[in-house]
Amino acid sequence: MIKKNIHPKWFVKTKVYCDGQSIMTISSTKPELHVDIWSGNHPFFTGSQKIIDTEGRVERFLKKYNMESEETNN
């Protein structure tokens, strides 16, 4: 037998909001969801992600192990 009254209420049309704009409708245990990041504005998914080497980590690694970068090989 299935126990009664132990499962949360299920909302079939839950609206997801990001920056005050409704971005999608899903099913959830909450009537509304407010998110900061979603695939439409995250740099990884939008293709605008850039790797920034501000501390010269790559150069230090190459120097430490006496390796040459591909830029100097060309």
Side-chain angles (χ1 to χ4, degrees):
M1 302 283 316
I2 298 175
K3 292 184 179 180
K4 294 183 179 182
N5 301 324
I6 63 166
H7 299 287
K9 183 174 179 177
W10 190 254
F11 297 93
V12 178
K13 293 186 178 181
T14 298
K15 293 203 179 251
V16 180
Y17 295 94
C18 184
D19 293 331
Q21 296 179 346
S22 176
I23 54 174
M24 68 181 78
T25 303
I26 62 170
S27 296
S28 175
T29 57
K30 296 188 177 189
E32 283 185 1
L33 295 173
H34 296 272
V35 297
D36 295 326
I37 297 175
W38 66 290
S39 61
N41 68 355
H42 191 278
F44 179 80
F45 297 104
T46 60
S48 62
Q49 181 178 21
K50 296 178 183 174
I51 298 173
I52 300 172
D53 183 22
T54 57
E55 297 179 10
R57 293 179 185 160
V58 174
E59 287 78 17
R60 284 190 311 193
F61 176 84
L62 295 174
K63 184 177 178 183
K64 180 177 180 179
Y65 293 104
N66 295 322
M67 302 171 72
E68 294 180 16
S69 68
E70 289 188 22
E71 293 174 2
T72 58
N73 288 337
N74 293 332

